[in-house]
Short mmCIF file of all heavy atoms in Angstrom, two decimals:
data_model
loop_
_atom_site.label_atom_id
_atom_site.label_comp_id
_atom_site.label_asym_id
_atom_site.label_seq_id
_atom_site.Cartn_x
_atom_site.Cartn_y
_atom_site.Cartn_z
N PRO A 105 -15.18 6.55 17.82
CA PRO A 105 -14.48 5.76 16.80
C PRO A 105 -15.38 5.46 15.62
O PRO A 105 -16.58 5.22 15.79
CB PRO A 105 -14.10 4.48 17.56
CG PRO A 105 -14.01 4.91 18.99
CD PRO A 105 -15.09 5.94 19.15
N PRO A 106 -14.85 5.50 14.40
CA PRO A 106 -15.69 5.33 13.21
C PRO A 106 -16.26 3.92 13.10
O PRO A 106 -15.61 2.94 13.48
CB PRO A 106 -14.72 5.61 12.06
CG PRO A 106 -13.36 5.29 12.62
CD PRO A 106 -13.42 5.68 14.08
N ASP A 107 -17.49 3.82 12.58
CA ASP A 107 -18.07 2.51 12.35
C ASP A 107 -17.44 1.88 11.11
O ASP A 107 -16.62 2.50 10.42
CB ASP A 107 -19.59 2.60 12.21
CG ASP A 107 -20.04 3.57 11.12
OD1 ASP A 107 -19.28 3.79 10.13
OD2 ASP A 107 -21.15 4.14 11.23
N TYR A 108 -17.82 0.65 10.84
CA TYR A 108 -17.20 -0.11 9.75
C TYR A 108 -17.34 0.61 8.41
O TYR A 108 -16.37 0.74 7.65
CB TYR A 108 -17.83 -1.50 9.67
CG TYR A 108 -17.42 -2.30 8.45
CD1 TYR A 108 -16.17 -2.92 8.39
CD2 TYR A 108 -18.29 -2.43 7.36
CE1 TYR A 108 -15.80 -3.66 7.27
CE2 TYR A 108 -17.94 -3.17 6.25
CZ TYR A 108 -16.69 -3.78 6.20
OH TYR A 108 -16.32 -4.50 5.08
N GLU A 109 -18.53 1.11 8.12
CA GLU A 109 -18.77 1.79 6.84
C GLU A 109 -17.92 3.04 6.69
O GLU A 109 -17.36 3.31 5.62
CB GLU A 109 -20.25 2.14 6.70
CG GLU A 109 -21.18 0.95 6.48
CD GLU A 109 -21.47 0.18 7.77
OE1 GLU A 109 -21.16 0.74 8.86
OE2 GLU A 109 -21.99 -0.93 7.69
N THR A 110 -17.79 3.79 7.79
CA THR A 110 -16.97 5.00 7.75
C THR A 110 -15.50 4.64 7.58
O THR A 110 -14.77 5.31 6.84
CB THR A 110 -17.17 5.82 9.03
OG1 THR A 110 -18.55 6.13 9.20
CG2 THR A 110 -16.38 7.12 8.95
N ARG A 111 -15.06 3.59 8.24
CA ARG A 111 -13.67 3.15 8.08
C ARG A 111 -13.40 2.76 6.63
O ARG A 111 -12.34 3.08 6.07
CB ARG A 111 -13.36 1.98 9.03
CG ARG A 111 -13.48 2.34 10.50
CD ARG A 111 -12.81 1.33 11.41
NE ARG A 111 -13.34 -0.03 11.29
CZ ARG A 111 -14.35 -0.50 12.00
NH1 ARG A 111 -14.99 0.29 12.85
NH2 ARG A 111 -14.77 -1.76 11.87
N MET A 112 -14.34 2.07 6.02
CA MET A 112 -14.20 1.71 4.60
C MET A 112 -14.06 2.96 3.74
O MET A 112 -13.21 3.04 2.84
CB MET A 112 -15.41 0.89 4.16
CG MET A 112 -15.52 -0.50 4.77
SD MET A 112 -14.53 -1.75 3.93
CE MET A 112 -15.50 -2.00 2.42
N ALA A 113 -14.90 3.94 4.00
CA ALA A 113 -14.86 5.18 3.23
C ALA A 113 -13.54 5.91 3.41
O ALA A 113 -12.97 6.44 2.44
CB ALA A 113 -16.02 6.09 3.63
N ILE A 114 -13.03 5.96 4.64
CA ILE A 114 -11.75 6.61 4.91
C ILE A 114 -10.63 5.95 4.12
O ILE A 114 -9.78 6.61 3.52
CB ILE A 114 -11.45 6.58 6.42
CG1 ILE A 114 -12.41 7.47 7.19
CG2 ILE A 114 -10.00 6.99 6.70
CD1 ILE A 114 -12.36 7.30 8.70
N ILE A 115 -10.63 4.63 4.11
CA ILE A 115 -9.60 3.88 3.38
C ILE A 115 -9.68 4.18 1.88
O ILE A 115 -8.67 4.41 1.22
CB ILE A 115 -9.74 2.38 3.65
CG1 ILE A 115 -9.48 2.09 5.14
CG2 ILE A 115 -8.78 1.58 2.78
CD1 ILE A 115 -9.92 0.71 5.58
N HIS A 116 -10.89 4.17 1.33
CA HIS A 116 -11.07 4.45 -0.09
C HIS A 116 -10.59 5.86 -0.46
O HIS A 116 -9.89 6.05 -1.46
CB HIS A 116 -12.53 4.28 -0.49
CG HIS A 116 -12.94 2.86 -0.74
ND1 HIS A 116 -12.36 2.10 -1.73
CD2 HIS A 116 -13.87 2.07 -0.15
CE1 HIS A 116 -12.92 0.89 -1.75
NE2 HIS A 116 -13.83 0.85 -0.78
N VAL A 117 -10.96 6.84 0.36
CA VAL A 117 -10.56 8.22 0.07
C VAL A 117 -9.05 8.37 0.15
O VAL A 117 -8.43 9.03 -0.71
CB VAL A 117 -11.26 9.19 1.05
CG1 VAL A 117 -10.65 10.59 0.95
CG2 VAL A 117 -12.75 9.25 0.76
N LYS A 118 -8.43 7.79 1.15
CA LYS A 118 -6.98 7.88 1.28
C LYS A 118 -6.28 7.18 0.12
O LYS A 118 -5.30 7.70 -0.42
CB LYS A 118 -6.53 7.26 2.60
CG LYS A 118 -5.05 7.55 2.93
CD LYS A 118 -4.83 9.04 3.11
CE LYS A 118 -3.40 9.37 3.41
NZ LYS A 118 -3.18 10.85 3.56
N ALA A 119 -6.81 6.04 -0.28
CA ALA A 119 -6.23 5.32 -1.42
C ALA A 119 -6.34 6.15 -2.69
O ALA A 119 -5.40 6.22 -3.49
CB ALA A 119 -6.92 3.97 -1.59
N ASP A 120 -7.49 6.80 -2.90
CA ASP A 120 -7.67 7.65 -4.07
C ASP A 120 -6.69 8.81 -4.07
O ASP A 120 -6.13 9.16 -5.11
CB ASP A 120 -9.11 8.17 -4.12
CG ASP A 120 -10.12 7.10 -4.47
OD1 ASP A 120 -9.70 6.03 -4.99
OD2 ASP A 120 -11.32 7.31 -4.22
N SER A 121 -6.49 9.42 -2.89
CA SER A 121 -5.59 10.56 -2.81
C SER A 121 -4.15 10.15 -3.10
O SER A 121 -3.35 10.94 -3.61
CB SER A 121 -5.67 11.22 -1.43
OG SER A 121 -5.11 10.40 -0.43
N LEU A 122 -3.80 8.89 -2.79
CA LEU A 122 -2.46 8.38 -3.04
C LEU A 122 -2.33 7.69 -4.40
O LEU A 122 -1.26 7.20 -4.76
CB LEU A 122 -2.05 7.40 -1.94
CG LEU A 122 -1.92 7.98 -0.52
CD1 LEU A 122 -1.65 6.86 0.48
CD2 LEU A 122 -0.79 9.01 -0.46
N ARG A 123 -3.45 7.65 -5.12
CA ARG A 123 -3.49 7.02 -6.45
C ARG A 123 -3.04 5.56 -6.38
O ARG A 123 -2.20 5.10 -7.15
CB ARG A 123 -2.63 7.80 -7.45
CG ARG A 123 -3.13 9.21 -7.72
CD ARG A 123 -2.30 9.90 -8.80
NE ARG A 123 -2.83 11.21 -9.15
CZ ARG A 123 -2.54 12.32 -8.51
NH1 ARG A 123 -1.73 12.27 -7.46
NH2 ARG A 123 -3.05 13.48 -8.88
N VAL A 124 -3.62 4.83 -5.43
CA VAL A 124 -3.35 3.41 -5.30
C VAL A 124 -4.68 2.67 -5.27
O VAL A 124 -5.63 3.09 -4.59
CB VAL A 124 -2.52 3.11 -4.03
CG1 VAL A 124 -3.21 3.59 -2.77
CG2 VAL A 124 -2.21 1.63 -3.93
N GLN A 125 -4.78 1.61 -6.05
CA GLN A 125 -6.00 0.82 -6.12
C GLN A 125 -5.92 -0.35 -5.14
O GLN A 125 -5.01 -1.18 -5.23
CB GLN A 125 -6.23 0.32 -7.54
CG GLN A 125 -6.59 1.42 -8.54
CD GLN A 125 -7.01 0.88 -9.88
OE1 GLN A 125 -6.72 -0.26 -10.22
NE2 GLN A 125 -7.71 1.67 -10.66
N LEU A 126 -6.88 -0.41 -4.23
CA LEU A 126 -6.92 -1.48 -3.26
C LEU A 126 -8.07 -2.43 -3.56
O LEU A 126 -9.21 -1.99 -3.71
CB LEU A 126 -7.10 -0.91 -1.84
CG LEU A 126 -6.05 0.08 -1.32
CD1 LEU A 126 -6.41 0.50 0.10
CD2 LEU A 126 -4.66 -0.53 -1.36
N PRO A 127 -7.81 -3.72 -3.65
CA PRO A 127 -8.90 -4.69 -3.81
C PRO A 127 -9.86 -4.59 -2.61
O PRO A 127 -9.44 -4.25 -1.50
CB PRO A 127 -8.17 -6.04 -3.83
CG PRO A 127 -6.76 -5.72 -4.23
CD PRO A 127 -6.47 -4.38 -3.66
N GLU A 128 -11.13 -4.91 -2.85
CA GLU A 128 -12.12 -4.77 -1.79
C GLU A 128 -11.82 -5.67 -0.60
O GLU A 128 -12.11 -5.30 0.54
CB GLU A 128 -13.52 -5.07 -2.34
CG GLU A 128 -14.13 -3.90 -3.10
CD GLU A 128 -14.23 -2.63 -2.25
OE1 GLU A 128 -14.81 -2.70 -1.15
OE2 GLU A 128 -13.71 -1.60 -2.69
N ASN A 129 -11.25 -6.85 -0.84
CA ASN A 129 -10.94 -7.72 0.30
C ASN A 129 -9.84 -7.12 1.17
O ASN A 129 -9.80 -7.33 2.38
CB ASN A 129 -10.58 -9.12 -0.17
CG ASN A 129 -9.31 -9.17 -1.00
OD1 ASN A 129 -8.92 -8.21 -1.67
ND2 ASN A 129 -8.67 -10.35 -1.00
N VAL A 130 -8.93 -6.34 0.56
CA VAL A 130 -7.90 -5.66 1.32
C VAL A 130 -8.51 -4.52 2.14
O VAL A 130 -8.19 -4.35 3.31
CB VAL A 130 -6.80 -5.11 0.38
CG1 VAL A 130 -5.87 -4.15 1.13
CG2 VAL A 130 -6.00 -6.27 -0.21
N VAL A 131 -9.39 -3.76 1.51
CA VAL A 131 -10.08 -2.68 2.22
C VAL A 131 -10.86 -3.25 3.41
O VAL A 131 -10.83 -2.71 4.52
CB VAL A 131 -11.02 -1.90 1.28
CG1 VAL A 131 -11.81 -0.84 2.05
CG2 VAL A 131 -10.23 -1.26 0.15
N ASP A 132 -11.55 -4.35 3.17
CA ASP A 132 -12.33 -5.00 4.22
C ASP A 132 -11.44 -5.47 5.36
O ASP A 132 -11.79 -5.28 6.54
CB ASP A 132 -13.09 -6.19 3.62
CG ASP A 132 -13.85 -6.99 4.67
OD1 ASP A 132 -14.89 -6.50 5.16
OD2 ASP A 132 -13.40 -8.11 4.99
N TYR A 133 -10.29 -6.06 5.03
CA TYR A 133 -9.38 -6.54 6.07
C TYR A 133 -8.88 -5.39 6.94
O TYR A 133 -8.86 -5.48 8.17
CB TYR A 133 -8.19 -7.26 5.43
CG TYR A 133 -7.12 -7.62 6.44
CD1 TYR A 133 -7.27 -8.74 7.26
CD2 TYR A 133 -5.98 -6.83 6.59
CE1 TYR A 133 -6.31 -9.07 8.20
CE2 TYR A 133 -5.01 -7.14 7.53
CZ TYR A 133 -5.19 -8.26 8.33
OH TYR A 133 -4.24 -8.58 9.28
N ILE A 134 -8.46 -4.29 6.31
CA ILE A 134 -7.96 -3.14 7.07
C ILE A 134 -9.04 -2.58 7.98
O ILE A 134 -8.81 -2.30 9.15
CB ILE A 134 -7.43 -2.04 6.12
CG1 ILE A 134 -6.28 -2.56 5.27
CG2 ILE A 134 -6.97 -0.83 6.92
CD1 ILE A 134 -5.89 -1.61 4.15
N ALA A 135 -10.25 -2.43 7.42
CA ALA A 135 -11.36 -1.85 8.18
C ALA A 135 -11.75 -2.71 9.37
O ALA A 135 -12.18 -2.20 10.41
CB ALA A 135 -12.57 -1.64 7.27
N LYS A 136 -11.60 -4.01 9.25
CA LYS A 136 -11.95 -4.91 10.35
C LYS A 136 -10.82 -5.07 11.35
O LYS A 136 -11.06 -5.46 12.50
CB LYS A 136 -12.36 -6.28 9.79
CG LYS A 136 -13.71 -6.28 9.09
CD LYS A 136 -14.07 -7.64 8.55
CE LYS A 136 -15.46 -7.64 7.91
NZ LYS A 136 -15.81 -8.97 7.32
N THR A 137 -9.60 -4.79 10.93
CA THR A 137 -8.44 -4.96 11.81
C THR A 137 -8.16 -3.71 12.64
O THR A 137 -7.85 -3.80 13.83
CB THR A 137 -7.20 -5.33 10.99
OG1 THR A 137 -7.47 -6.48 10.18
CG2 THR A 137 -6.02 -5.62 11.91
N ILE A 138 -8.25 -2.56 12.00
CA ILE A 138 -8.00 -1.29 12.69
C ILE A 138 -9.34 -0.60 12.88
O ILE A 138 -9.95 -0.12 11.93
CB ILE A 138 -7.04 -0.40 11.89
CG1 ILE A 138 -5.70 -1.12 11.70
CG2 ILE A 138 -6.83 0.94 12.58
CD1 ILE A 138 -4.73 -0.38 10.83
N THR A 139 -9.79 -0.54 14.11
CA THR A 139 -11.18 -0.15 14.36
C THR A 139 -11.36 1.17 15.10
O THR A 139 -12.49 1.64 15.22
CB THR A 139 -11.90 -1.25 15.16
OG1 THR A 139 -11.23 -1.43 16.42
CG2 THR A 139 -11.91 -2.56 14.40
N SER A 140 -10.31 1.76 15.62
CA SER A 140 -10.53 2.90 16.50
C SER A 140 -9.66 4.11 16.24
O SER A 140 -9.72 5.08 16.99
CB SER A 140 -10.34 2.47 17.97
OG SER A 140 -9.01 2.01 18.18
N ASN A 141 -8.86 4.10 15.18
CA ASN A 141 -7.93 5.21 14.98
C ASN A 141 -7.83 5.53 13.49
O ASN A 141 -7.34 4.73 12.70
CB ASN A 141 -6.55 4.85 15.55
CG ASN A 141 -5.64 6.05 15.64
OD1 ASN A 141 -5.34 6.70 14.63
ND2 ASN A 141 -5.16 6.35 16.84
#
């Protein structure tokens, strides 16, 4: 399962591909809530 930093990177890349801007606190919340998939 990805570590916190990798989860953050995955979220950023997916957001970029979808052309949606996510505030950092939202990225942080998702990365801390969904940890293994």
Side-chain angles (χ1 to χ4, degrees):
D107 56 28
Y108 171 77
E109 289 78 14
T110 304
R111 297 197 300 271
M112 292 277 286
I114 292 169
I115 296 166
H116 278 299
V117 169
K118 191 63 181 179
D120 289 343
S121 70
L122 296 174
R123 296 185 175 86
V124 58
Q125 291 189 341
L126 301 181
E128 280 302 306
N129 64 333
V130 168
V131 176
D132 176 74
Y133 173 79
I134 299 170
K136 288 180 177 178
T137 305
I138 300 175
T139 60
S140 62
N141 192 301

